[in-house]
């Protein structure tokens, strides 16, 4: 039953990351989330130094590692596989980049769970796609 739970949580995190709801994570989606959760030292250091290119490069590398079909974006299956597999696409052990993506997903799911336990009103516990600015959405999720 554990694998099913992981899949369900991964799907939840994916839907929150997938801003436009097209079923793919692009570098912009991942970048915004990394910026909002600030759990990654390398990424944060680059952003704080004003090195947006460097920060984006971290994100691009993350996507590259996970992007099995090589289309430059991450679909749900690729996302789930990074959370459930102990090997990357080359059959090596988990890379730092995959661990980053795992951490990101975990942060989002945790924040979502905290939020939904706080929500009292009926179906208010279900966070849907942010129609407003992305940042305010993550602030809401994290607070």
């Amino acid at each position: 039953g554990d694998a099913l739970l992981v899949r369900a949580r991964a799907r939840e995190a994916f839907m929150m990351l997938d801003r436009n709801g097209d079923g793919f994570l692009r570098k912009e989606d991942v970048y915004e989330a990394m910026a909002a959760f600030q759990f990654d030292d390398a990424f944060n250091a680059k952003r704080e130094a004003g090195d947006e290119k460097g920060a984006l490069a971290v994100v691009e590398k993350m996507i590259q590692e996970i992007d099995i079909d090589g289309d430059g974006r991450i679909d749900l299956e690729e996302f789930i596989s990074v959370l459930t597999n102990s090997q990357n696409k080359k059959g090596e052990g988990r890379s730092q980049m995959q661990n980053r993506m795992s951490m990101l997903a975990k942060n989002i799911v945790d924040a979502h769970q905290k939020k939904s336990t706080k929500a009292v009103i009926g179906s208010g516990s279900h966070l849907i796609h942010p129609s407003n600015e992305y940042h305010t959405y993550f602030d809401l999720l994290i607070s």
Side-chain angles (χ1 to χ4, degrees):
D2 222 26
L4 275 176
L5 185 68
V6 171
R7 283 187 77 89
R9 288 200 174 144
R11 180 172 284 118
E12 215 172 281
F14 186 89
M15 283 163 65
M16 289 184 218
L17 279 169
D18 177 17
R19 279 194 286 180
N20 62 1
D22 68 352
F24 294 100
L25 300 186
R26 298 163 201 290
K27 62 184 176 194
E28 297 77 18
D29 300 323
V30 177
Y31 184 93
E32 289 287 345
M34 294 278 286
F37 283 102
Q38 298 196 336
F39 65 88
D40 188 86
D41 294 340
F43 178 83
N44 295 342
K46 285 182 170 39
R47 277 191 81 228
E48 276 157 30
D51 181 8
E52 292 290 324
K53 267 206 179 87
L56 200 56
V58 170
V59 170
E60 282 167 351
K61 200 161 162 33
M62 276 169 77
I63 290 177
Q64 241 173 359
E65 288 273 330
I66 297 152
D67 175 23
I68 298 163
D69 59 14
D71 65 357
R73 48 193 193 173
I74 301 167
D75 61 35
L76 180 61
E77 283 310 312
E78 288 168 338
F79 187 72
I80 288 175
S81 79
V82 79
L83 300 183
T84 51
N85 294 352
S86 54
Q87 295 189 325
N88 65 15
K89 61 182 178 186
K90 300 184 194 79
E92 301 153 355
R94 285 179 77 95
S95 72
Q96 196 189 356
M97 293 299 165
Q98 285 175 298
N99 288 333
R100 276 193 169 113
M101 189 58 89
S102 255
M103 278 290 295
L104 180 60
K106 194 180 167 333
N107 273 289
I108 291 173
V109 173
D110 287 352
H112 180 55
Q113 281 176 327
K114 280 195 200 93
K115 253 311 184 249
S116 49
T117 50
K118 277 191 215 162
V120 200
I121 325 142
S123 61
S125 64
H126 293 288
L127 290 168
I128 358 167
H129 272 301
S131 49
N132 60 351
E133 222 340 88
Y134 202 44
H135 277 297
T136 51
Y137 168 66
F138 272 124
D139 293 344
L140 185 121
L141 206 55
I142 297 163
S143 60

